[in-house]
mmCIF file of all heavy atoms in Angstrom:
data_model
loop_
_atom_site.group_PDB
_atom_site.id
_atom_site.type_symbol
_atom_site.label_atom_id
_atom_site.label_comp_id
_atom_site.label_asym_id
_atom_site.label_seq_id
_atom_site.Cartn_x
_atom_site.Cartn_y
_atom_site.Cartn_z
ATOM 1 N N PRO A 868 2.007 13.094 20.301
ATOM 2 C CA PRO A 868 1.925 11.700 20.762
ATOM 3 C C PRO A 868 1.480 11.644 22.211
ATOM 4 O O PRO A 868 1.732 12.566 22.998
ATOM 5 C CB PRO A 868 3.362 11.183 20.594
ATOM 6 C CG PRO A 868 4.003 12.127 19.630
ATOM 7 C CD PRO A 868 3.352 13.449 19.863
ATOM 8 N N ALA A 869 0.854 10.536 22.554
ATOM 9 C CA ALA A 869 0.421 10.343 23.940
ATOM 10 C C ALA A 869 1.632 10.133 24.851
ATOM 11 O O ALA A 869 2.716 9.741 24.408
ATOM 12 C CB ALA A 869 -0.538 9.154 24.026
ATOM 13 N N GLN A 870 1.450 10.376 26.115
ATOM 14 C CA GLN A 870 2.530 10.205 27.092
ATOM 15 C C GLN A 870 2.934 8.729 27.176
ATOM 16 O O GLN A 870 2.091 7.840 27.207
ATOM 17 C CB GLN A 870 2.082 10.712 28.464
ATOM 18 C CG GLN A 870 3.181 10.746 29.505
ATOM 19 C CD GLN A 870 2.668 11.176 30.857
ATOM 20 O OE1 GLN A 870 1.830 10.483 31.445
ATOM 21 N NE2 GLN A 870 3.157 12.306 31.360
ATOM 22 N N LYS A 871 4.250 8.503 27.222
ATOM 23 C CA LYS A 871 4.766 7.138 27.303
ATOM 24 C C LYS A 871 5.266 6.847 28.716
ATOM 25 O O LYS A 871 5.912 7.702 29.342
ATOM 26 C CB LYS A 871 5.904 6.950 26.295
ATOM 27 C CG LYS A 871 5.462 7.015 24.845
ATOM 28 C CD LYS A 871 6.633 6.763 23.916
ATOM 29 C CE LYS A 871 6.199 6.831 22.455
ATOM 30 N NZ LYS A 871 7.343 6.600 21.537
ATOM 31 N N VAL A 872 4.992 5.617 29.215
ATOM 32 C CA VAL A 872 5.438 5.179 30.544
ATOM 33 C C VAL A 872 6.304 3.943 30.365
ATOM 34 O O VAL A 872 5.897 2.978 29.700
ATOM 35 C CB VAL A 872 4.238 4.871 31.462
ATOM 36 C CG1 VAL A 872 4.726 4.393 32.828
ATOM 37 C CG2 VAL A 872 3.354 6.101 31.609
ATOM 38 N N SER A 873 7.520 3.934 30.994
ATOM 39 C CA SER A 873 8.453 2.803 30.858
ATOM 40 C C SER A 873 9.096 2.503 32.198
ATOM 41 O O SER A 873 9.168 3.370 33.086
ATOM 42 C CB SER A 873 9.529 3.124 29.804
ATOM 43 O OG SER A 873 10.239 4.292 30.174
ATOM 44 N N ALA A 874 9.533 1.232 32.335
ATOM 45 C CA ALA A 874 10.229 0.801 33.568
ATOM 46 C C ALA A 874 11.664 1.316 33.554
ATOM 47 O O ALA A 874 12.276 1.498 32.498
ATOM 48 C CB ALA A 874 10.216 -0.718 33.678
ATOM 49 N N CYS A 875 12.204 1.563 34.767
ATOM 50 C CA CYS A 875 13.556 2.097 34.855
ATOM 51 C C CYS A 875 14.190 1.671 36.173
ATOM 52 O O CYS A 875 13.523 1.137 37.070
ATOM 53 C CB CYS A 875 13.544 3.612 34.727
ATOM 54 S SG CYS A 875 12.668 4.425 36.081
ATOM 55 N N VAL A 876 15.492 1.827 36.326
ATOM 56 C CA VAL A 876 16.229 1.543 37.563
ATOM 57 C C VAL A 876 16.564 2.877 38.204
ATOM 58 O O VAL A 876 17.105 3.773 37.547
ATOM 59 C CB VAL A 876 17.525 0.753 37.285
ATOM 60 C CG1 VAL A 876 18.250 0.463 38.566
ATOM 61 C CG2 VAL A 876 17.186 -0.531 36.545
ATOM 62 N N SER A 877 16.358 2.938 39.528
ATOM 63 C CA SER A 877 16.502 4.228 40.195
ATOM 64 C C SER A 877 17.965 4.613 40.348
ATOM 65 O O SER A 877 18.881 3.790 40.274
ATOM 66 C CB SER A 877 15.810 4.182 41.564
ATOM 67 O OG SER A 877 16.481 3.246 42.393
ATOM 68 N N LEU A 878 18.274 5.762 40.722
ATOM 69 C CA LEU A 878 19.622 6.297 40.896
ATOM 70 C C LEU A 878 20.302 5.717 42.137
ATOM 71 O O LEU A 878 21.529 5.525 42.159
ATOM 72 C CB LEU A 878 19.554 7.833 40.986
ATOM 73 C CG LEU A 878 20.879 8.572 41.167
ATOM 74 C CD1 LEU A 878 21.785 8.305 39.972
ATOM 75 C CD2 LEU A 878 20.640 10.059 41.341
ATOM 76 N N ASP A 879 19.551 5.394 43.190
ATOM 77 C CA ASP A 879 20.133 4.830 44.423
ATOM 78 C C ASP A 879 20.838 3.509 44.148
ATOM 79 O O ASP A 879 21.939 3.236 44.660
ATOM 80 C CB ASP A 879 19.037 4.617 45.480
ATOM 81 C CG ASP A 879 18.465 5.952 45.932
ATOM 82 O OD1 ASP A 879 19.140 6.968 45.701
ATOM 83 O OD2 ASP A 879 17.354 5.968 46.482
ATOM 84 N N PHE A 880 20.212 2.672 43.338
ATOM 85 C CA PHE A 880 20.824 1.378 43.018
ATOM 86 C C PHE A 880 22.143 1.569 42.282
ATOM 87 O O PHE A 880 23.163 0.967 42.619
ATOM 88 C CB PHE A 880 19.854 0.554 42.169
ATOM 89 C CG PHE A 880 20.475 -0.686 41.605
ATOM 90 C CD1 PHE A 880 20.629 -1.836 42.393
ATOM 91 C CD2 PHE A 880 20.931 -0.715 40.288
ATOM 92 C CE1 PHE A 880 21.217 -2.971 41.853
ATOM 93 C CE2 PHE A 880 21.512 -1.841 39.769
ATOM 94 C CZ PHE A 880 21.650 -2.991 40.541
ATOM 95 N N TRP A 881 22.133 2.397 41.297
ATOM 96 C CA TRP A 881 23.349 2.605 40.515
ATOM 97 C C TRP A 881 24.434 3.291 41.353
ATOM 98 O O TRP A 881 25.628 3.030 41.168
ATOM 99 C CB TRP A 881 23.055 3.439 39.272
ATOM 100 C CG TRP A 881 22.279 2.675 38.229
ATOM 101 C CD1 TRP A 881 21.022 2.880 37.857
ATOM 102 C CD2 TRP A 881 22.766 1.582 37.469
ATOM 103 N NE1 TRP A 881 20.637 1.993 36.898
ATOM 104 C CE2 TRP A 881 21.713 1.162 36.622
ATOM 105 C CE3 TRP A 881 24.001 0.886 37.425
ATOM 106 C CZ2 TRP A 881 21.840 0.110 35.743
ATOM 107 C CZ3 TRP A 881 24.123 -0.156 36.536
ATOM 108 C CH2 TRP A 881 23.057 -0.544 35.697
ATOM 109 N N LEU A 882 24.028 4.128 42.283
ATOM 110 C CA LEU A 882 25.011 4.762 43.162
ATOM 111 C C LEU A 882 25.694 3.735 44.065
ATOM 112 O O LEU A 882 26.929 3.719 44.209
ATOM 113 C CB LEU A 882 24.334 5.858 43.995
ATOM 114 C CG LEU A 882 25.244 6.666 44.921
ATOM 115 C CD1 LEU A 882 26.321 7.376 44.102
ATOM 116 C CD2 LEU A 882 24.437 7.653 45.746
ATOM 117 N N LYS A 883 24.883 2.886 44.646
ATOM 118 C CA LYS A 883 25.451 1.841 45.511
ATOM 119 C C LYS A 883 26.320 0.895 44.709
ATOM 120 O O LYS A 883 27.417 0.501 45.149
ATOM 121 C CB LYS A 883 24.317 1.060 46.195
ATOM 122 C CG LYS A 883 23.517 1.893 47.181
ATOM 123 C CD LYS A 883 22.366 1.073 47.752
ATOM 124 C CE LYS A 883 21.518 1.908 48.733
ATOM 125 N NZ LYS A 883 20.378 1.136 49.272
ATOM 126 N N PHE A 884 25.826 0.518 43.546
ATOM 127 C CA PHE A 884 26.597 -0.388 42.706
ATOM 128 C C PHE A 884 27.918 0.247 42.297
ATOM 129 O O PHE A 884 28.976 -0.398 42.289
ATOM 130 C CB PHE A 884 25.772 -0.753 41.455
ATOM 131 C CG PHE A 884 26.503 -1.640 40.489
ATOM 132 C CD1 PHE A 884 26.646 -3.011 40.740
ATOM 133 C CD2 PHE A 884 27.070 -1.106 39.347
ATOM 134 C CE1 PHE A 884 27.332 -3.813 39.846
ATOM 135 C CE2 PHE A 884 27.754 -1.898 38.460
ATOM 136 C CZ PHE A 884 27.889 -3.273 38.697
ATOM 137 N N GLY A 885 27.903 1.504 41.987
ATOM 138 C CA GLY A 885 29.115 2.200 41.575
ATOM 139 C C GLY A 885 30.123 2.310 42.706
ATOM 140 O O GLY A 885 31.334 2.117 42.503
#
Side-chain angles (χ1 to χ4, degrees):
Q870 187 183 63
K871 293 182 180 179
V872 179
S873 59
C875 64
V876 181
S877 65
L878 180 62
D879 294 342
F880 170 80
W881 288 111
L882 183 60
K883 294 177 181 179
F884 178 77

